[in-house]
Each structure stands twice: as C-alpha cells, then as structure tokens.
Amino acid sequence: MEQVQLLGMWLSPYSYRVIWALQLKGIAYEYIEEDLSNKSPLLLQCNPVHKKIPVLIHSGKPICESSVILEYIEEIWPQNSLLPCDPYERAIARFWIKFADDKGPIVWKICGTRGEERQKVIEESLEMLKTIEEHGLGDKKFFGGDKISMVDIAFGGLAYWPGVIEKVLGRNLLEAHKFPRLHAWTKNFKEVPEIKENLPDFGRLLKRQT
Amino acid sequence: MAVVKLFGAWTSPYFYRVIWALKLKGIPYECIEEDLLNKSPLLLQYNPVHKKIPVLVHDGKPICESTIIPQYIEEIWPQPSLLPSDPYERAMARFWIKFADDKLILLALSPSISKMYRASGEEQEKAVKYILEMLETMEDHGLIGGKKFFGGDKISMVDMAFGAVAHWLGVIEDAAGLKIFEAHKFPRLQSWIQNFKEVPIIKENLTDRDKMFALLKRRREMLLASK
C-alpha cells in the first residue's frame, strides 16, 4: 500500500492543486478517483465534516481542504519549496491563496447560471480577474516571482477553465488585451512540465459542460 | 513610533482574533480604530483588495486577513506558541481555522451584517439553521474527546478563530430576541466557552457587551422601521 493516497475527482481544480504539489515535489502517491454521486465509505470516513474531495491520506491519517493539504505537503516534504522563506512574503502568499479559495469559485458558477444572473456572475468574475491581474500578479512571471509556487497552484484552475467556459458561452472571458499579465501567466503556468503533464483533457471538460 | 500597528473596529470579532494573538504573546502595539462607514485613506492604501479590517502593519508593511495575521505573528514571535508543533496537528488546526472563517462569514456573525438580527421570517430562519449546523459540527467533530480547548489543554489559534461564538453570538441573539445556543444541547461547546472566556487575556479583551447590545438594538429598530 502506498504511504500517500489522494482521493480526488478529475473535474475538480482543487483535486488538481494537490496533484500538482505532489508532482512538483516528486512524491509518489496512489490516486483514487471518487464518484461524487456515490461517495465511497473511505471518503465519508476521512472527511466526515464536509464529505468532499480532495483528501490526502498520509500513513493512514487524512488531511482535508486543498489549501490545508498544500501547507501540510510543504511541511512534510520541504524540497522544491512552494512557499517563500521570508515570513512577510509567506503572509502575502497566504493572502492570495485565501483569495483564490474565497473569490475564485465565482468563475465555476458561470456555466450553471442563465440570463441576468449569468451576466452578473460574468461581471463579478471579470472584476475578480482584474484584481488578480493588478494586485496579485503585477509584472511577475509567476505570483511569487520567477518560480512556480503555492499561489500559482491555488489559481491553477484559471489556467484552463476559462478556455472551456469561453467555448460554452461563445464569447471571450480572459482576453489577452484586457488581461495581458494573467494571460501570459496561464501560458507560463501550463508550460511547467509537471503542470503540462497533469491537466484534465480539454475535450472531456467541454463535453461535460455542454 | 510603534513598530506594530493594528487597524480595527471595536465591534469586530475578526479584529479581536489579532488582539488576542498579540496580547497572548506580549507584543506591544498601537491600536487604530477605524470608522467602517468612513474608512481612512491609510486603511484603503494598506488593504486595497478588500478594504477591510483588521490590518496589521509591521515596520510599515501591511498584512491582511484575520486568520493570516496570527500565522505571521506566530512566525515572527514564536513564543508562547499558538499552533501545534506536529505538522499533522497543525493541519488539523488549519482545517478548523478555515471552517471557522468560512462558516462565520456565511452566517455573518459580524454584528454589522448579521442576518439574524436584521431580518425576520424566512431569512432569519435560514440563518438560524446554518448557525445550528455549525454549532453541531463544532460539538460533534471539533471538540470530541472532552478537550478543554480545540487543540487540547492550551488555548490556540483555533479557539481564537471561533471567538465570535463565545461572545458575539450571545449579544446578537439577545438583540434579535432569539435563543439559538442552548447549553444543555451543546455541553462540550458550553464548557469550551467557559474555558475560553476564563483565560485572563481573553477575559480582559472582549468587546463591551452592553455597548454592542445597544448598538445592535438601535440598528435593528432602524432596519425594521425602514421596511
């Protein structure tokens, strides 16, 4: 039995956050795909409070919530560090990870809404992207500077989901001329080998949304 | 000039999360009270993304978010410790801190936006239901094993994250004329509230109950009258 197991779901960007962290640190793990319409007894036992994925199980002990799992992984396997060493820079990183957690999900609501509500959700999403572009990313290649870090992983869903949403909506969302820095970031992020090799299939995602 | 400044508002349990962390560690700081209806240019400069309190300013550098600030404080001033040393226990603590943050916002256990004392009828019922669910989770999952505090024998960042439940909930209930937390239904939580409020630093640093009750009552009357 693998010492590290990950209960995940292919549609979930939160599941991918953990995959990317494990891959970037070269940690061997067993991946278990969960059917969320029929949750396994293991999942319910490991996450009785939320009954959600992802759940990391390390030597039999479960850790829940993707941002909590990321911090745990960083502490247990410090190689290829995903957080800055400076406490102030670390506080800034945590600020943006929390922002990704709290505000990021608005984007996933676009496809599930219609008419006026959808318009409102789109506007809120664009505002959120603008905040990330101006305050979070600035002129940096990645959120933490030159290297990929936990903040990029936390925002990772934005590197591929907008493309799917744009196809469904028939309109642009993350346009290069409106969000030049964020747009460049999505390319830089997806070029990192461990990310490139671990992205959900675009066609499969699109099929699921339509 | 003080090295540590804290921007806050006397009604906010999020503000108190930081006060408790600073005081438990014996860190001197200058407190700057913000009028939330007329925010200072300095606050807007320090927290341009959310424009909210609390904000800690350390040597001129701002740190925002009441669950992130205590972690920063813990790293700069490690003693006495407010997080476990074991990484797994620390992950458990972070899980509960996130739970507190997510649920308290949803329930708006912040006096300025609490649905419970503002609304009546369906909206209020919904808010009450959410609160009860949160309290049940805390009782059944957070405090199992008869622990004195969420992390064991000592007060920690998790207890402080749930501070709103120990003090602010009661005032909001009274202002709204509701009874949600019943001690006999939540025996572990009741013990925790008593243990928490008996810690000297906590006891001496809680928002004035009467002052807040008066404020909430006034606001509620205004809101109900305007409908």
Side-chain angles (χ1 to χ4, degrees), chain A residues 135-174:
Chain A
H135 295 277
L137 199 49
D139 292 320
K140 296 169 287 176
K141 185 180 181 190
F142 294 108
F143 281 90
D146 295 323
K147 250 180 18 124
I148 191 172
S149 77
M150 218 182 272
V151 184
D152 305 285
I153 290 173
F155 281 117
L158 292 180
Y160 63 90
W161 267 110
V164 179
I165 296 167
E166 282 166 2
K167 274 270 189 281
V168 174
L169 291 182
R171 62 159 277 183
N172 286 322
L173 200 67
L174 221 177

mmCIF file of all heavy atoms in Angstrom, chain A residues 135-174:
data_model
loop_
_atom_site.group_PDB
_atom_site.id
_atom_site.type_symbol
_atom_site.label_atom_id
_atom_site.label_comp_id
_atom_site.label_asym_id
_atom_site.label_seq_id
_atom_site.Cartn_x
_atom_site.Cartn_y
_atom_site.Cartn_z
ATOM 1 N N HIS A 135 -3.269 43.458 -8.663
ATOM 2 C CA HIS A 135 -2.713 43.428 -7.308
ATOM 3 C C HIS A 135 -1.912 42.176 -7.007
ATOM 4 O O HIS A 135 -0.980 42.197 -6.226
ATOM 5 C CB HIS A 135 -3.829 43.561 -6.267
ATOM 6 C CG HIS A 135 -4.530 44.875 -6.311
ATOM 7 N ND1 HIS A 135 -4.037 46.000 -5.690
ATOM 8 C CD2 HIS A 135 -5.681 45.241 -6.903
ATOM 9 C CE1 HIS A 135 -4.878 47.000 -5.899
ATOM 10 N NE2 HIS A 135 -5.876 46.572 -6.630
ATOM 11 N N GLY A 136 -2.303 41.063 -7.634
ATOM 12 C CA GLY A 136 -1.642 39.803 -7.278
ATOM 13 C C GLY A 136 -0.427 39.509 -8.111
ATOM 14 O O GLY A 136 0.634 39.146 -7.609
ATOM 15 N N LEU A 137 -0.610 39.665 -9.415
ATOM 16 C CA LEU A 137 0.447 39.239 -10.336
ATOM 17 C C LEU A 137 1.444 40.366 -10.605
ATOM 18 O O LEU A 137 2.662 40.164 -10.575
ATOM 19 C CB LEU A 137 -0.211 38.777 -11.646
ATOM 20 C CG LEU A 137 0.590 37.894 -12.595
ATOM 21 C CD1 LEU A 137 1.218 36.722 -11.866
ATOM 22 C CD2 LEU A 137 -0.312 37.385 -13.698
ATOM 23 N N GLY A 138 0.931 41.538 -10.887
ATOM 24 C CA GLY A 138 1.811 42.651 -11.245
ATOM 25 C C GLY A 138 2.621 42.296 -12.465
ATOM 26 O O GLY A 138 2.100 41.712 -13.418
ATOM 27 N N ASP A 139 3.941 42.583 -12.406
ATOM 28 C CA ASP A 139 4.787 42.307 -13.568
ATOM 29 C C ASP A 139 5.565 41.013 -13.456
ATOM 30 O O ASP A 139 6.488 40.760 -14.223
ATOM 31 C CB ASP A 139 5.790 43.475 -13.755
ATOM 32 C CG ASP A 139 5.059 44.739 -14.165
ATOM 33 O OD1 ASP A 139 4.120 44.619 -14.988
ATOM 34 O OD2 ASP A 139 5.415 45.826 -13.664
ATOM 35 N N LYS A 140 5.170 40.184 -12.510
ATOM 36 C CA LYS A 140 5.939 38.963 -12.286
ATOM 37 C C LYS A 140 5.510 37.841 -13.231
ATOM 38 O O LYS A 140 4.382 37.819 -13.708
ATOM 39 C CB LYS A 140 5.751 38.501 -10.837
ATOM 40 C CG LYS A 140 6.303 39.494 -9.813
ATOM 41 C CD LYS A 140 5.863 39.127 -8.407
ATOM 42 C CE LYS A 140 4.385 39.450 -8.247
ATOM 43 N NZ LYS A 140 3.865 39.037 -6.936
ATOM 44 N N LYS A 141 6.429 36.897 -13.433
ATOM 45 C CA LYS A 141 6.145 35.759 -14.304
ATOM 46 C C LYS A 141 5.152 34.823 -13.615
ATOM 47 O O LYS A 141 4.195 34.329 -14.212
ATOM 48 C CB LYS A 141 7.453 35.023 -14.613
ATOM 49 C CG LYS A 141 7.282 33.889 -15.607
ATOM 50 C CD LYS A 141 8.610 33.172 -15.891
ATOM 51 C CE LYS A 141 8.383 32.063 -16.925
ATOM 52 N NZ LYS A 141 9.548 31.194 -17.079
ATOM 53 N N PHE A 142 5.432 34.556 -12.336
ATOM 54 C CA PHE A 142 4.526 33.765 -11.504
ATOM 55 C C PHE A 142 4.138 34.631 -10.309
ATOM 56 O O PHE A 142 4.735 35.686 -10.094
ATOM 57 C CB PHE A 142 5.215 32.479 -11.028
ATOM 58 C CG PHE A 142 5.536 31.507 -12.134
ATOM 59 C CD1 PHE A 142 6.848 31.308 -12.558
ATOM 60 C CD2 PHE A 142 4.532 30.780 -12.751
ATOM 61 C CE1 PHE A 142 7.139 30.415 -13.583
ATOM 62 C CE2 PHE A 142 4.814 29.881 -13.782
ATOM 63 C CZ PHE A 142 6.117 29.709 -14.199
ATOM 64 N N PHE A 143 3.168 34.202 -9.537
ATOM 65 C CA PHE A 143 2.678 35.021 -8.420
ATOM 66 C C PHE A 143 3.750 35.300 -7.378
ATOM 67 O O PHE A 143 3.733 36.322 -6.721
ATOM 68 C CB PHE A 143 1.458 34.370 -7.764
ATOM 69 C CG PHE A 143 0.189 34.584 -8.533
ATOM 70 C CD1 PHE A 143 -0.212 33.688 -9.506
ATOM 71 C CD2 PHE A 143 -0.598 35.705 -8.293
ATOM 72 C CE1 PHE A 143 -1.378 33.904 -10.229
ATOM 73 C CE2 PHE A 143 -1.771 35.923 -9.013
ATOM 74 C CZ PHE A 143 -2.157 35.024 -9.981
ATOM 75 N N GLY A 144 4.706 34.374 -7.240
ATOM 76 C CA GLY A 144 5.766 34.557 -6.248
ATOM 77 C C GLY A 144 7.067 35.042 -6.831
ATOM 78 O O GLY A 144 8.061 35.188 -6.119
ATOM 79 N N GLY A 145 7.111 35.324 -8.118
ATOM 80 C CA GLY A 145 8.357 35.766 -8.756
ATOM 81 C C GLY A 145 8.702 34.925 -9.966
ATOM 82 O O GLY A 145 7.861 34.713 -10.853
ATOM 83 N N ASP A 146 9.931 34.414 -9.984
ATOM 84 C CA ASP A 146 10.383 33.652 -11.158
ATOM 85 C C ASP A 146 9.996 32.185 -11.143
ATOM 86 O O ASP A 146 10.006 31.512 -12.168
ATOM 87 C CB ASP A 146 11.924 33.723 -11.269
ATOM 88 C CG ASP A 146 12.379 35.129 -11.541
ATOM 89 O OD1 ASP A 146 11.667 35.831 -12.294
ATOM 90 O OD2 ASP A 146 13.425 35.536 -10.999
ATOM 91 N N LYS A 147 9.725 31.683 -9.953
ATOM 92 C CA LYS A 147 9.455 30.237 -9.835
ATOM 93 C C LYS A 147 7.983 29.994 -9.541
ATOM 94 O O LYS A 147 7.336 30.815 -8.877
ATOM 95 C CB LYS A 147 10.238 29.705 -8.622
ATOM 96 C CG LYS A 147 11.402 28.799 -8.928
ATOM 97 C CD LYS A 147 12.150 28.297 -7.688
ATOM 98 C CE LYS A 147 11.458 28.385 -6.368
ATOM 99 N NZ LYS A 147 11.361 27.063 -5.668
ATOM 100 N N ILE A 148 7.483 28.852 -9.939
ATOM 101 C CA ILE A 148 6.117 28.445 -9.612
ATOM 102 C C ILE A 148 6.021 28.215 -8.102
ATOM 103 O O ILE A 148 6.982 27.769 -7.470
ATOM 104 C CB ILE A 148 5.698 27.182 -10.408
ATOM 105 C CG1 ILE A 148 4.195 26.933 -10.255
ATOM 106 C CG2 ILE A 148 6.475 25.952 -9.954
ATOM 107 C CD1 ILE A 148 3.662 25.821 -11.147
ATOM 108 N N SER A 149 4.868 28.594 -7.529
ATOM 109 C CA SER A 149 4.698 28.415 -6.091
ATOM 110 C C SER A 149 3.255 28.034 -5.766
ATOM 111 O O SER A 149 2.431 27.873 -6.658
ATOM 112 C CB SER A 149 5.046 29.700 -5.344
ATOM 113 O OG SER A 149 3.974 30.626 -5.473
ATOM 114 N N MET A 150 2.963 27.943 -4.460
ATOM 115 C CA MET A 150 1.640 27.528 -3.994
ATOM 116 C C MET A 150 0.540 28.459 -4.496
ATOM 117 O O MET A 150 -0.597 28.032 -4.684
ATOM 118 C CB MET A 150 1.641 27.508 -2.465
ATOM 119 C CG MET A 150 0.846 26.371 -1.889
ATOM 120 S SD MET A 150 0.823 26.418 -0.082
ATOM 121 C CE MET A 150 2.304 25.467 0.294
ATOM 122 N N VAL A 151 0.847 29.736 -4.688
ATOM 123 C CA VAL A 151 -0.179 30.687 -5.134
ATOM 124 C C VAL A 151 -0.593 30.354 -6.571
ATOM 125 O O VAL A 151 -1.778 30.341 -6.903
ATOM 126 C CB VAL A 151 0.308 32.144 -5.048
ATOM 127 C CG1 VAL A 151 -0.812 33.091 -5.433
ATOM 128 C CG2 VAL A 151 0.820 32.462 -3.658
ATOM 129 N N ASP A 152 0.390 30.062 -7.419
ATOM 130 C CA ASP A 152 0.077 29.685 -8.802
ATOM 131 C C ASP A 152 -0.781 28.428 -8.814
ATOM 132 O O ASP A 152 -1.768 28.328 -9.542
ATOM 133 C CB ASP A 152 1.360 29.414 -9.591
ATOM 134 C CG ASP A 152 2.324 30.570 -9.547
ATOM 135 O OD1 ASP A 152 2.058 31.561 -10.250
ATOM 136 O OD2 ASP A 152 3.316 30.504 -8.793
ATOM 137 N N ILE A 153 -0.422 27.466 -7.974
ATOM 138 C CA ILE A 153 -1.188 26.218 -7.864
ATOM 139 C C ILE A 153 -2.620 26.513 -7.417
ATOM 140 O O ILE A 153 -3.573 25.966 -7.960
ATOM 141 C CB ILE A 153 -0.492 25.254 -6.885
ATOM 142 C CG1 ILE A 153 0.813 24.742 -7.492
ATOM 143 C CG2 ILE A 153 -1.404 24.084 -6.534
ATOM 144 C CD1 ILE A 153 1.655 23.922 -6.531
ATOM 145 N N ALA A 154 -2.748 27.429 -6.444
ATOM 146 C CA ALA A 154 -4.082 27.773 -5.942
ATOM 147 C C ALA A 154 -4.943 28.389 -7.045
ATOM 148 O O ALA A 154 -6.152 28.168 -7.097
ATOM 149 C CB ALA A 154 -3.970 28.725 -4.759
ATOM 150 N N PHE A 155 -4.332 29.160 -7.925
ATOM 151 C CA PHE A 155 -5.068 29.786 -9.032
ATOM 152 C C PHE A 155 -5.084 28.921 -10.288
ATOM 153 O O PHE A 155 -5.612 29.334 -11.314
ATOM 154 C CB PHE A 155 -4.447 31.150 -9.393
ATOM 155 C CG PHE A 155 -4.852 32.258 -8.459
ATOM 156 C CD1 PHE A 155 -3.892 32.916 -7.687
ATOM 157 C CD2 PHE A 155 -6.174 32.662 -8.355
ATOM 158 C CE1 PHE A 155 -4.260 33.957 -6.830
ATOM 159 C CE2 PHE A 155 -6.545 33.691 -7.498
ATOM 160 C CZ PHE A 155 -5.589 34.339 -6.735
ATOM 161 N N GLY A 156 -4.488 27.724 -10.192
ATOM 162 C CA GLY A 156 -4.294 26.868 -11.365
ATOM 163 C C GLY A 156 -5.528 26.614 -12.211
ATOM 164 O O GLY A 156 -5.439 26.545 -13.426
ATOM 165 N N GLY A 157 -6.687 26.505 -11.581
ATOM 166 C CA GLY A 157 -7.916 26.272 -12.334
ATOM 167 C C GLY A 157 -8.164 27.354 -13.371
ATOM 168 O O GLY A 157 -8.746 27.103 -14.431
ATOM 169 N N LEU A 158 -7.696 28.574 -13.071
ATOM 170 C CA LEU A 158 -7.907 29.685 -14.000
ATOM 171 C C LEU A 158 -7.057 29.556 -15.262
ATOM 172 O O LEU A 158 -7.279 30.270 -16.246
ATOM 173 C CB LEU A 158 -7.565 31.032 -13.323
ATOM 174 C CG LEU A 158 -8.501 31.466 -12.207
ATOM 175 C CD1 LEU A 158 -8.040 32.795 -11.627
ATOM 176 C CD2 LEU A 158 -9.940 31.585 -12.708
ATOM 177 N N ALA A 159 -6.093 28.654 -15.232
ATOM 178 C CA ALA A 159 -5.233 28.476 -16.395
ATOM 179 C C ALA A 159 -5.899 27.638 -17.474
ATOM 180 O O ALA A 159 -5.500 27.694 -18.632
ATOM 181 C CB ALA A 159 -3.905 27.836 -15.988
ATOM 182 N N TYR A 160 -6.930 26.865 -17.097
ATOM 183 C CA TYR A 160 -7.573 26.059 -18.130
ATOM 184 C C TYR A 160 -9.095 26.151 -18.177
ATOM 185 O O TYR A 160 -9.695 26.010 -19.247
ATOM 186 C CB TYR A 160 -7.148 24.585 -18.025
ATOM 187 C CG TYR A 160 -7.536 23.856 -16.743
ATOM 188 C CD1 TYR A 160 -8.741 23.178 -16.649
ATOM 189 C CD2 TYR A 160 -6.682 23.839 -15.643
ATOM 190 C CE1 TYR A 160 -9.103 22.501 -15.486
ATOM 191 C CE2 TYR A 160 -7.028 23.163 -14.479
ATOM 192 C CZ TYR A 160 -8.244 22.497 -14.400
ATOM 193 O OH TYR A 160 -8.586 21.824 -13.250
ATOM 194 N N TRP A 161 -9.753 26.459 -17.102
ATOM 195 C CA TRP A 161 -11.213 26.535 -17.112
ATOM 196 C C TRP A 161 -11.792 27.655 -17.980
ATOM 197 O O TRP A 161 -12.774 27.424 -18.698
ATOM 198 C CB TRP A 161 -11.772 26.638 -15.694
ATOM 199 C CG TRP A 161 -12.117 25.302 -15.119
ATOM 200 C CD1 TRP A 161 -11.490 24.642 -14.121
ATOM 201 C CD2 TRP A 161 -13.201 24.458 -15.526
ATOM 202 N NE1 TRP A 161 -12.091 23.436 -13.884
ATOM 203 C CE2 TRP A 161 -13.139 23.283 -14.721
ATOM 204 C CE3 TRP A 161 -14.199 24.537 -16.498
ATOM 205 C CZ2 TRP A 161 -14.045 22.233 -14.859
ATOM 206 C CZ3 TRP A 161 -15.104 23.492 -16.643
ATOM 207 C CH2 TRP A 161 -15.024 22.347 -15.819
ATOM 208 N N PRO A 162 -11.211 28.866 -17.942
ATOM 209 C CA PRO A 162 -11.784 29.927 -18.780
ATOM 210 C C PRO A 162 -11.908 29.548 -20.243
ATOM 211 O O PRO A 162 -12.894 29.901 -20.904
ATOM 212 C CB PRO A 162 -10.811 31.098 -18.569
ATOM 213 C CG PRO A 162 -10.309 30.887 -17.180
ATOM 214 C CD PRO A 162 -10.164 29.407 -17.042
ATOM 215 N N GLY A 163 -10.930 28.766 -20.754
ATOM 216 C CA GLY A 163 -10.993 28.323 -22.156
ATOM 217 C C GLY A 163 -12.235 27.491 -22.419
ATOM 218 O O GLY A 163 -12.900 27.644 -23.457
ATOM 219 N N VAL A 164 -12.583 26.632 -21.475
ATOM 220 C CA VAL A 164 -13.768 25.778 -21.599
ATOM 221 C C VAL A 164 -15.028 26.638 -21.547
ATOM 222 O O VAL A 164 -15.934 26.508 -22.370
ATOM 223 C CB VAL A 164 -13.805 24.731 -20.457
ATOM 224 C CG1 VAL A 164 -15.038 23.849 -20.563
ATOM 225 C CG2 VAL A 164 -12.544 23.878 -20.469
ATOM 226 N N ILE A 165 -15.044 27.553 -20.566
ATOM 227 C CA ILE A 165 -16.214 28.424 -20.367
ATOM 228 C C ILE A 165 -16.446 29.289 -21.608
ATOM 229 O O ILE A 165 -17.577 29.493 -22.044
ATOM 230 C CB ILE A 165 -16.033 29.300 -19.105
ATOM 231 C CG1 ILE A 165 -15.974 28.390 -17.859
ATOM 232 C CG2 ILE A 165 -17.161 30.301 -18.961
ATOM 233 C CD1 ILE A 165 -15.496 29.090 -16.595
ATOM 234 N N GLU A 166 -15.336 29.789 -22.188
ATOM 235 C CA GLU A 166 -15.439 30.631 -23.387
ATOM 236 C C GLU A 166 -16.097 29.871 -24.528
ATOM 237 O O GLU A 166 -16.908 30.421 -25.274
ATOM 238 C CB GLU A 166 -14.052 31.127 -23.795
ATOM 239 C CG GLU A 166 -13.576 32.286 -22.937
ATOM 240 C CD GLU A 166 -12.094 32.583 -23.070
ATOM 241 O OE1 GLU A 166 -11.415 31.902 -23.885
ATOM 242 O OE2 GLU A 166 -11.613 33.496 -22.381
ATOM 243 N N LYS A 167 -15.751 28.584 -24.669
ATOM 244 C CA LYS A 167 -16.343 27.773 -25.738
ATOM 245 C C LYS A 167 -17.847 27.608 -25.489
ATOM 246 O O LYS A 167 -18.653 27.666 -26.416
ATOM 247 C CB LYS A 167 -15.688 26.377 -25.772
ATOM 248 C CG LYS A 167 -14.423 26.310 -26.593
ATOM 249 C CD LYS A 167 -14.745 25.962 -28.057
ATOM 250 C CE LYS A 167 -13.497 25.661 -28.873
ATOM 251 N NZ LYS A 167 -12.775 26.859 -29.301
ATOM 252 N N VAL A 168 -18.223 27.403 -24.233
ATOM 253 C CA VAL A 168 -19.640 27.211 -23.879
ATOM 254 C C VAL A 168 -20.421 28.505 -24.090
ATOM 255 O O VAL A 168 -21.524 28.511 -24.626
ATOM 256 C CB VAL A 168 -19.770 26.746 -22.413
ATOM 257 C CG1 VAL A 168 -21.223 26.687 -21.982
ATOM 258 C CG2 VAL A 168 -19.130 25.375 -22.231
ATOM 259 N N LEU A 169 -19.833 29.627 -23.661
ATOM 260 C CA LEU A 169 -20.515 30.924 -23.753
ATOM 261 C C LEU A 169 -20.535 31.460 -25.176
ATOM 262 O O LEU A 169 -21.399 32.245 -25.542
ATOM 263 C CB LEU A 169 -19.800 31.971 -22.881
ATOM 264 C CG LEU A 169 -19.855 31.836 -21.381
ATOM 265 C CD1 LEU A 169 -19.120 32.994 -20.742
ATOM 266 C CD2 LEU A 169 -21.283 31.824 -20.895
ATOM 267 N N GLY A 170 -19.526 31.096 -25.951
ATOM 268 C CA GLY A 170 -19.377 31.659 -27.291
ATOM 269 C C GLY A 170 -18.865 33.102 -27.210
ATOM 270 O O GLY A 170 -19.125 33.928 -28.069
ATOM 271 N N ARG A 171 -18.170 33.417 -26.146
ATOM 272 C CA ARG A 171 -17.577 34.759 -26.013
ATOM 273 C C ARG A 171 -16.309 34.643 -25.181
ATOM 274 O O ARG A 171 -16.136 33.671 -24.454
ATOM 275 C CB ARG A 171 -18.538 35.744 -25.347
ATOM 276 C CG ARG A 171 -18.925 35.349 -23.943
ATOM 277 C CD ARG A 171 -19.438 36.509 -23.141
ATOM 278 N NE ARG A 171 -18.351 37.284 -22.561
ATOM 279 C CZ ARG A 171 -18.508 38.321 -21.758
ATOM 280 N NH1 ARG A 171 -19.717 38.738 -21.469
ATOM 281 N NH2 ARG A 171 -17.475 38.957 -21.260
ATOM 282 N N ASN A 172 -15.462 35.678 -25.322
ATOM 283 C CA ASN A 172 -14.204 35.656 -24.584
ATOM 284 C C ASN A 172 -14.364 36.084 -23.136
ATOM 285 O O ASN A 172 -15.254 36.862 -22.799
ATOM 286 C CB ASN A 172 -13.182 36.577 -25.254
ATOM 287 C CG ASN A 172 -12.662 35.956 -26.536
ATOM 288 O OD1 ASN A 172 -12.465 34.759 -26.602
ATOM 289 N ND2 ASN A 172 -12.483 36.776 -27.559
ATOM 290 N N LEU A 173 -13.520 35.523 -22.310
ATOM 291 C CA LEU A 173 -13.548 35.856 -20.882
ATOM 292 C C LEU A 173 -12.193 36.435 -20.461
ATOM 293 O O LEU A 173 -12.064 37.577 -20.063
ATOM 294 C CB LEU A 173 -13.865 34.588 -20.073
ATOM 295 C CG LEU A 173 -14.383 34.772 -18.659
ATOM 296 C CD1 LEU A 173 -15.759 35.394 -18.649
ATOM 297 C CD2 LEU A 173 -14.446 33.415 -17.946
ATOM 298 N N LEU A 174 -11.167 35.606 -20.581
ATOM 299 C CA LEU A 174 -9.818 36.010 -20.194
ATOM 300 C C LEU A 174 -9.079 36.477 -21.452
ATOM 301 O O LEU A 174 -8.183 35.803 -21.945
ATOM 302 C CB LEU A 174 -9.090 34.812 -19.535
ATOM 303 C CG LEU A 174 -8.236 35.106 -18.303
ATOM 304 C CD1 LEU A 174 -7.646 33.824 -17.726
ATOM 305 C CD2 LEU A 174 -7.117 36.078 -18.574
#
